[in-house]
Amino acid sequence: MSQSVEKQSGKTRIQREKREQILQAALEVFAAHGFRGSTLDQIADAAKMSKPNLLYYYSRKEDIHQTLIARLMDTWLAPLKTLNANGEPVEEICAYINRKLEMARDFPRESRLFANEILQGAPHIIEMIEGELKTLVDEKAKVIEGWMDEGQLNSCDPRHLLFAIWATTQHYADFDVQVRAVLGTDKGDESRFEDAKEFLENLFCKGLKVR
Amino acid sequence: MSQSVEKQSGKTRIQREKREQILQAALEVFAAHGFRGSTLDQIADAAKMSKPNLLYYYSRKEDIHQTLIARLMDTWLAPLKTLNANGEPVEEICAYINRKLEMARDFPRESRLFANEILQGAPHIIEMIEGELKTLVDEKAKVIEGWMDEGQLNSCDPRHLLFAIWATTQHYADFDVQVRAVLGTDKGDESRFEDAKEFLENLFCKGLKVR
DNA sequence: CTAATATTTTATCAATTGGTCAAAAACTGG
DNA sequence: CCAGTTTTTGACCAATTGATAAAATATTAG
């Protein structure tokens, strides 16, 4: 009778471990096939346990997905949140781009999970998109507009600027197969992120910097 | 006994019409849920016919998908193909961006179908990506590099430039839900593509133009 | 109109799906 | 070791899935 915490993720060590095992497996599968395209058998397989055993930890397929999405959204919004209104504008934006690019490199499955969700109309996160995300973007857009009004940045639509940053950075995770194919196998495997970093800094900062 | 053409899409008027009906419905469904996430019932429903009736025209689910993908790839590569080595560099690239943006606006379902396919590892089009697409990109990358060598463009990695163009333009189709949510409902529904056009021309051409 | 053909429907199938249940097995503290 | 609990398993289920067969209907050519 060791029910100290009820709602939280796990009371025993083994529960925490197995739940994490399942989440990792599910992340892989959902990122590759979307929610509807993924099966519990696939996830159970990837998690190296039987389907009923898996369902002992998460009693519904949607619960696993929800857990993953919820966990993702925290880390997803973090980089934009740290954009500092008091910092040097071009530096702040460059740092943001780099952070996003690092996320595409280090968490490609999370990026694809998110992409899948949005592609399919964001059924599970639409309120968060229209709520928390929109609020955050509105706030940061104002910061960027402020910089532009002060003449510290060339002016442009800050929301479309954010779209462009999201699109270009996440592209390296979401369209990974295509990126690899186009770049070919000759180049070192990880050099593409260094090249992308250089290219994107150049693209965004040359256009934004006052000259 | 009117078997003039065997392999081609349809001999009778009604067959051509119904097949087209099915493809349109399937495009909608596949774009929204991916291949594995889509069901024949959904497609049959959207095409307003019974499932067996649908299977009379396309005897397998994969056949429908293959047909859509094949048809898509033609139109998908077309814009890059028309990039003219003898044109004015910045103009050529700007025109390419606009063409891609128009495709995102006018064929969002095709864009999402493609995005879904790549996200899921491009199982059905990997050879074409590694073959035709790579060849085309190699060729055009050389053209762009040529312009840079001649001093007509600021130099940068042409392949990453193409990635950035693809990512930013397709973003407006693939992440439509998010774009709409972030921009809010106040603005006119179609103005976002005009704003995007202005923003992207600015972003890419300011950075590329020699100054 | 009629006969051949093309289309649609009805009924059905086996496989896969998300999910349940109770029993077995493994682990826990005492 | 033992009783109580947690974890795992195997046997199932109803619903959905992609697909088939054959009968019924519509269309078309002569």
Side-chain angles (χ1 to χ4, degrees):
Chain A
M1 200 142 299
S2 53
Q3 274 149 329
S4 52
V5 184
E6 190 70 296
K7 276 265 176 177
Q8 281 313 324
S9 52
K11 32 198 173 189
T12 96
R13 175 187 53 86
I14 191 165
Q15 252 183 42
R16 276 191 303 276
E17 282 176 5
K18 294 273 166 148
R19 280 184 190 243
E20 191 55 36
Q21 212 179 100
I22 292 169
L23 289 180
Q24 289 304 316
L27 177 57
E28 199 81 43
V29 177
F30 283 139
H33 301 105
F35 180 74
R36 295 216 39 201
S38 303
T39 73
L40 288 180
D41 291 282
Q42 285 177 292
I43 299 172
D45 232 45
K48 282 168 198 163
M49 58 178 76
S50 67
K51 187 165 55 171
N53 197 183
L54 180 151
L55 283 160
Y56 170 73
Y57 291 102
Y58 288 96
S59 51
R60 287 196 274 151
K61 183 186 174 186
E62 263 215 52
D63 290 352
I64 309 176
H65 193 254
Q66 287 280 20
T67 306
L68 282 174
I69 290 275
R71 182 186 283 198
L72 165 66
M73 291 321 288
D74 286 336
T75 53
W76 213 241
L77 296 184
L80 185 54
K81 277 184 182 152
T82 72
L83 191 91
N84 181 9
N86 300 318
E88 201 282 313
V90 176
E91 258 177 45
E92 283 297 319
I93 289 178
C94 256
Y96 177 56
I97 291 168
N98 285 332
R99 254 174 269 134
K100 286 291 291 179
L101 195 56
E102 279 162 19
M103 287 189 54
R105 184 193 58 199
D106 299 336
F107 307 110
R109 300 174 307 177
E110 282 82 351
S111 186
R112 276 179 224 132
L113 178 68
F114 184 76
N116 257 309
E117 180 66 14
I118 299 284
L119 254 182
Q120 317 201 344
H124 306 92
I125 54 169
I126 187 66
E127 333 87 45
M128 120 84 67
I129 299 269
E130 286 171 344
E132 201 176 340
L133 175 66
K134 178 163 171 33
T135 307
L136 180 62
V137 167
D138 284 345
E139 178 202 328
K140 297 303 183 181
K142 241 171 224 146
V143 170
I144 296 173
E145 260 165 356
W147 289 337
M148 291 172 180
D149 290 344
E150 294 167 13
Q152 295 192 269
L153 277 182
N154 279 337
S155 66
C156 67
D157 188 320
R159 268 163 266 256
H160 287 271
L161 173 60
L162 288 178
F163 293 153
I165 293 173
W166 297 344
T168 49
T169 53
Q170 289 169 16
H171 187 83
Y172 290 96
D174 302 342
F175 286 69
D176 182 59
V177 194
Q178 187 180 232
V179 168
R180 284 173 191 269
V182 165
L183 292 181
T185 47
D186 6 300
K187 275 214 154 189
D189 192 52
E190 284 310 304
S191 86
R192 66 185 188 283
F193 281 100
E194 292 161 33
D195 296 345
K197 179 182 167 175
E198 198 200 317
F199 173 82
L200 291 177
E201 276 180 3
N202 203 46
L203 172 66
F204 285 103
C205 298
K206 285 274 165 64
L208 290 166
K209 227 178 255 167
V210 179
R211 28 174 194 173
Chain B
M1 199 139 300
S2 54
Q3 273 151 329
S4 52
V5 185
E6 190 72 293
K7 276 264 178 179
Q8 281 311 326
S9 52
K11 31 197 172 186
T12 97
R13 176 186 54 84
I14 191 164
Q15 252 184 42
R16 276 192 304 276
E17 282 176 6
K18 295 273 166 148
R19 279 182 191 244
E20 190 55 36
Q21 214 178 103
I22 292 170
L23 289 179
Q24 288 304 315
L27 177 57
E28 200 81 44
V29 177
F30 283 139
H33 302 105
F35 180 74
R36 295 216 39 198
S38 303
T39 72
L40 287 179
D41 291 282
Q42 287 177 290
I43 298 171
D45 233 44
K48 283 167 197 160
M49 57 177 76
S50 68
K51 187 165 52 172
N53 196 181
L54 180 151
L55 284 160
Y56 171 73
Y57 291 101
Y58 288 96
S59 52
R60 287 196 275 151
K61 183 186 174 186
E62 263 213 52
D63 289 352
I64 309 176
H65 192 253
Q66 287 280 19
T67 305
L68 281 174
I69 290 276
R71 183 187 283 198
L72 165 65
M73 291 320 288
D74 285 335
T75 54
W76 213 241
L77 296 184
L80 185 54
K81 277 184 184 156
T82 73
L83 191 91
N84 180 9
N86 301 317
E88 202 283 312
V90 176
E91 258 176 46
E92 283 296 319
I93 288 177
C94 256
Y96 177 57
I97 292 167
N98 285 333
R99 254 174 269 135
K100 287 290 291 179
L101 195 57
E102 280 161 20
M103 287 189 54
R105 183 193 60 198
D106 300 335
F107 308 109
R109 299 174 307 177
E110 281 83 351
S111 185
R112 277 181 223 129
L113 177 69
F114 183 77
N116 257 308
E117 179 66 14
I118 299 283
L119 254 182
Q120 316 200 348
H124 305 92
I125 54 170
I126 187 65
E127 333 88 45
M128 118 85 68
I129 299 269
E130 288 171 343
E132 201 176 341
L133 176 66
K134 180 164 170 29
T135 306
L136 181 62
V137 168
D138 284 345
E139 176 201 329
K140 297 303 181 179
K142 241 172 225 148
V143 170
I144 296 173
E145 260 166 355
W147 289 336
M148 292 170 180
D149 290 343
E150 295 167 13
Q152 295 191 268
L153 277 181
N154 279 337
S155 67
C156 67
D157 189 318
R159 268 164 265 257
H160 287 272
L161 173 61
L162 288 178
F163 293 154
I165 293 174
W166 295 345
T168 50
T169 53
Q170 289 169 15
H171 187 82
Y172 290 96
D174 302 343
F175 286 69
D176 181 60
V177 193
Q178 188 180 232
V179 168
R180 283 171 190 270
V182 165
L183 291 181
T185 47
D186 6 301
K187 275 215 156 190
D189 191 53
E190 284 310 304
S191 87
R192 66 185 188 284
F193 280 100
E194 293 161 32
D195 295 347
K197 178 182 168 175
E198 199 201 316
F199 172 83
L200 291 177
E201 277 180 3
N202 204 48
L203 174 65
F204 285 103
C205 297
K206 285 275 167 63
L208 290 167
K209 225 178 258 169
V210 179
R211 29 175 195 170

